């Protein structure tokens, strides 16, 4: 019988520790590299993609003009195709050519327009996975959100095809094409969606590719549309160079703009001076108020969802206005949500057969934006803001040694100083700011800090309190305990104050905004000479 080791005198050997299993480094999912996406794009639309660059589309032809700029993916710095920038004179030629297309297209019978748009949607559906992959590389969207962007565009326009006959009763196309200038964050569900609905209504359409991303995805989508005879123009260039043609040209029938307030203000001034039809969606500080509220258990999962796509969307909620007496309970619901957020490289997997990760967000749009927000955070803290949560890149889901300079972990600041842009402007990144208030008047003042917003939410247990306070919040849509979204079918959408100018959209109003009706018709919206119409 073996002796009892513990009874043997002398030093005893230490039992060997069981080594932890080695964690394999993450790798890029096979078949998802930028080179794979580019090869597939070349095969899908060789007329629009050439060697290592894309072409501009105008006068119904893919043109080899323009000076390509270098570009890099926010995912990991991989070089990708950059915009082939046109000069002002060429942009003017493109607009004149679009007017020629418009004069023909506006007389194409509606059944034929519907058939061509439907064929375009079928082609987009066939290339759904490739369009989503391009979005991942070009603007950093996680895979699930990228596919949702593509699907929303396709499904949304199909709905318009089914409803367009009644929407166009008594209406005609505009005198000239619709010019679209949109931000980079939703190339499909905002920009392509709008262009196809505008074309369905009988207009030729022009779009400027966003400077920061979405070029190849938009190029592929427009190539598929152009094959079906849709009169689309897609051009690249700086805003200052192309604005005279895309905004001020007399040929333009309507300007549709989605972007920041500074650029939007310049566009608004131009279209107002010219008396031109316009739809101008601009940023605003969307806020979430907490007042006499107790259902904390329901709040945590909702709060995590507010970080989708790093809050890089027009309906994100970066500001929480909280009743001081409820602050401890709010933190108990909020902090688990922000600590559970997953971010990192959207195409990184542990094994080749693994599905792509379901991340809350990937990178910001570029390294410049990440640095800007990092600097603003540091400055705000140095001036008195209290950091309640600061994530680190070590928590991210990354490839070994990859470039992470475009990534920003989730951050939460209490009481951003009034001198900081984080106090009054939308950060467009994963930064939340919290302000504490003691009275309803303070609550409303804090929720209206940016003179107009697209959405807001008020969480309160008392329906009467909600009904009384909600109309005083300067946001176009106000949710009761739930976030509001843009909406693009049956629901009206617009904004108050500096967040919106011109015609409102949503459902039938999107069609009305880009067509002409009775001579005395006034569109619902924010215009210089009248207020929101019933």
């Amino acid at each position: 019988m073996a002796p009892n080791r513990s009874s043997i005198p002398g030093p005893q050997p230490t039992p060997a520790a069981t080594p932890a299993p080695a964690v394999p480094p993450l790798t890029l999912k096979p078949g998802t590299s930028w080179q794979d996406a580019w090869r597939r794009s070349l095969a899908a639309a060789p007329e629009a993609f050439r060697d290592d660059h894309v072409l501009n589309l105008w006068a119904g032809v893919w043109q080899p003009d323009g000076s390509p700029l270098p570009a890099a993916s926010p995912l990991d710095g991989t070089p990708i195709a950059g915009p082939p920038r046109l000069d002002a004179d060429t942009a003017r030629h493109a607009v004149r050519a679009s007017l020629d297309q418009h004069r023909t297209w506006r007389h194409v019978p509606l059944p034929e327009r519907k058939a061509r748009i439907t064929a375009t949607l079928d082609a987009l559906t066939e290339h759904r996975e490739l369009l989503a992959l391009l979005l991942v590389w070009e603007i950093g969207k996680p895979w699930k959100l990228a596919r949702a962007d593509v699907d929303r565009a396709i499904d949304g326009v199909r709905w318009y095809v089914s409803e367009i006959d009644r929407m166009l009763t008594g209406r005609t196309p505009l005198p000239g094409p619709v010019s679209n200038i949109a931000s980079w964050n939703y190339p499909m569900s905002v920009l392509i969606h709008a262009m196809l609905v505008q074309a369905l209504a009988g207009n030729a359409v022009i779009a400027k590719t966003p400077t920061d991303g979405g070029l190849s995805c938009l190029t592929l989508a427009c190539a598929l549309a152009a094959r079906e005879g849709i009169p689309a123009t897609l051009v690249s260039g700086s805003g200052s160079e192309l604005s005279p043609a895309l905004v001020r040209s007399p040929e333009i029938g309507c300007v549709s703009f989605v972007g920041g307030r500074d650029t939007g203000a310049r566009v608004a001034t131009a279209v107002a001076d010219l008396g031109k039809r316009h739809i101008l969606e601009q940023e605003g500080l969307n806020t979430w108020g907490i007042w006499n509220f107790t259902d904390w258990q329901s709040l945590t999962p909702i709060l995590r969802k507010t970080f989708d796509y790093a809050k890089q969307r027009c309906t994100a909620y970066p500001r929480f206005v909280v009743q001081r007496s409820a602050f401890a309970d709010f933190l108990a619901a909020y902090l688990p949500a922000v600590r559970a957020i997953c971010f990192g490289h959207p195409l990184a997997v542990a094994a080749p057969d693994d599905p792509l990760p379901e991340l809350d967000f990937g990178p910001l749009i570029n390294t410049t934006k990440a640095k800007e927000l990092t600097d603003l955070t540091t400055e705000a803290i140095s001036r008195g803001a209290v950091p309640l949560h600061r994530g680190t890149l070590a928590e991210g889901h990354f490839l070994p040694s990859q470039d992470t300079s475009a990534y920003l972990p989730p951050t939460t600041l209490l009481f951003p100083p009034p001198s900081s842009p984080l106090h009054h402007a939308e950060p467009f990144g994963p930064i939340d700011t919290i302000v504490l208030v003691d009275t309803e008047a303070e609550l409303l003042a804090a929720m209206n800090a940016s003179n107009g917003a697209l959405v807001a939410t008020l969480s309160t247990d008392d329906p009467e309190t909600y009904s009384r306070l909600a109309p005083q919040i300067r946001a176009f849509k106000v949710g009761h305990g739930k976030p509001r979204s843009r909406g693009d079918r049956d629901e009206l959408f617009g904004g108050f104050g500096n967040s919106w100018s011109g015609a409102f959209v949503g459902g039938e109003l999107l069609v009305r905004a880009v067509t002409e009706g009775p001579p005395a018709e006034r569109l619902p919206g924010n215009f210089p000479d009248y207020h929101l119409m019933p």
Side-chain angles (χ1 to χ4, degrees):
M1 182 174 181
N4 184 343
R5 184 173 298 275
S6 63
S7 66
I8 300 175
Q12 304 295 308
T14 302
T18 303
V23 178
L26 298 177
T27 61
L28 199 66
K29 176 81 172 178
T32 66
S33 71
W34 171 253
Q35 290 75 19
D36 292 321
W38 185 254
R39 281 194 294 269
R40 291 169 62 185
S41 299
L42 284 169
E47 69 271 30
F49 296 85
R50 298 281 176 85
D51 300 325
D52 61 348
H53 63 280
V54 302
L55 306 182
N56 289 293
L57 172 63
W58 60 275
V61 177
W62 289 97
Q63 309 277 359
D65 47 14
S67 302
L69 285 181
S73 169
L75 292 192
D76 54 17
T78 295
I80 61 175
R85 297 185 133 196
L86 297 181
D87 57 31
D89 189 55
T90 306
R92 283 191 290 270
H93 287 299
V95 169
R96 293 191 190 102
S98 180
L99 177 61
D100 292 338
Q101 291 179 300
H102 180 84
R103 287 169 172 164
T104 299
W105 178 254
R106 71 194 311 272
H107 297 295
V108 171
L110 180 57
E112 183 176 344
R113 296 203 306 264
K114 290 168 62 176
R116 293 190 186 187
I117 293 292
T118 298
T120 299
L121 297 175
D122 292 342
L124 293 174
T125 301
E126 179 184 351
H127 294 283
R128 168 184 182 245
E129 303 287 307
L130 175 55
L131 290 163
L133 183 59
L134 291 170
L135 289 182
V136 175
W137 278 105
E138 293 192 291
I139 62 174
K141 278 199 171 179
W143 178 246
K144 183 177 179 180
L145 295 180
R147 287 201 304 184
D149 192 23
V150 177
D151 290 344
R152 282 185 60 199
I154 296 170
D155 295 343
V157 180
R158 285 197 193 279
W159 179 83
Y160 278 94
V161 171
S162 68
E163 301 290 331
I164 194 65
D165 291 84
R166 65 173 179 83
M167 294 180 180
L168 286 179
T169 300
R171 309 194 67 81
T172 58
L174 296 174
V178 181
S179 178
N180 295 271
I181 303 170
S183 57
W184 45 266
N185 51 345
Y186 287 92
M188 292 295 298
S189 63
V190 171
L191 184 51
I192 289 296
H193 177 277
M195 293 171 67
L196 293 180
V197 174
Q198 293 160 7
L200 181 63
N203 303 291
V205 292
I206 305 170
K208 174 188 173 299
T209 62
T211 302
D212 290 314
L215 169 71
S216 295
C217 177
L218 288 168
T219 299
L220 176 57
C222 285
L224 299 175
R227 286 180 183 176
E228 304 302 333
I230 306 301
T233 295
L234 184 67
V235 294
S236 294
S238 70
S240 59
E241 190 83 5
L242 269 55
S243 181
L246 300 184
V247 175
R248 292 185 170 275
S249 289
E251 294 92 343
I252 298 296
C254 176
V255 176
S256 177
F257 172 87
V258 179
R261 286 193 177 186
D262 291 342
T263 303
R266 292 191 291 271
V267 174
T269 299
V271 294
D273 290 346
L274 297 169
K276 195 181 292 292
R277 185 79 63 93
H278 56 284
I279 308 160
L280 305 182
E281 178 185 335
Q282 298 156 96
E283 64 185 303
L285 184 60
N286 305 320
T287 59
W288 192 308
I290 308 287
W291 189 259
N292 292 342
F293 177 74
T294 59
D295 188 14
W296 303 109
Q297 185 176 0
S298 68
L299 198 58
T300 297
I302 297 175
L303 291 173
R304 179 174 176 178
K305 286 292 292 180
T306 67
F307 275 89
D308 276 359
Y309 194 34
K311 297 185 182 261
Q312 296 178 109
R313 60 188 193 280
C314 65
T315 53
Y317 286 84
R319 167 65 54 79
F320 291 87
V321 182
V322 182
Q323 189 173 13
R324 191 184 305 271
S325 60
F327 183 48
D329 291 327
F330 173 78
L331 277 187
Y334 176 88
L335 289 177
V338 73
R339 288 168 180 161
I341 288 169
C342 297
F343 67 97
H345 196 303
L347 303 175
V349 294
D353 293 335
D354 285 354
L356 291 171
E358 293 199 11
L359 304 174
D360 295 290
F361 60 85
L364 300 192
I365 186 59
N366 52 45
T367 60
T368 301
K369 184 63 176 180
K371 184 179 186 305
E372 172 197 327
L373 292 183
T374 299
D375 292 345
L376 285 177
T377 299
T378 301
E379 181 183 40
I381 292 172
S382 72
R383 294 182 180 181
V386 179
L388 295 178
H389 177 82
R390 298 194 78 177
T392 68
L393 290 178
E395 301 163 358
H397 178 88
F398 296 123
L399 299 169
S401 304
Q402 76 160 79
D403 182 349
T404 59
S405 58
Y407 292 80
L408 185 69
T411 301
T412 308
L413 302 179
L414 176 67
F415 285 131
S419 59
S420 169
L422 295 176
H423 179 82
H424 54 77
E426 179 183 21
F428 229 64
I431 298 177
D432 277 347
T433 57
I434 300 175
V435 174
L436 305 184
V437 295
D438 296 298
T439 67
E440 289 184 356
E442 290 177 330
L443 174 82
L444 292 171
M447 293 189 72
N448 293 331
S450 71
N451 184 28
L454 302 178
V455 296
T457 291
L458 179 61
S459 290
T460 181
D461 293 344
D462 181 22
E464 188 280 328
T465 299
Y466 175 82
S467 298
R468 178 167 47 83
L469 296 180
Q472 301 178 67
I473 298 170
R474 293 278 293 166
F476 192 77
K477 294 182 180 181
V478 181
H480 189 182
K482 296 180 180 179
R484 296 306 310 271
S485 65
R486 189 179 192 275
D488 55 15
R489 295 190 183 181
D490 292 328
E491 192 174 37
L492 182 71
F493 189 64
F496 280 138
N498 291 336
S499 68
W500 197 285
S501 297
F504 291 150
V505 295
E508 187 171 350
L509 288 186
L510 176 54
V511 174
R512 289 175 62 186
V514 295
T515 55
E516 294 189 315
E521 178 186 54
R522 282 186 167 182
L523 295 174
N526 294 329
F527 295 95
D529 56 341
Y530 63 95
H531 298 290
L532 174 64
M533 300 296 291

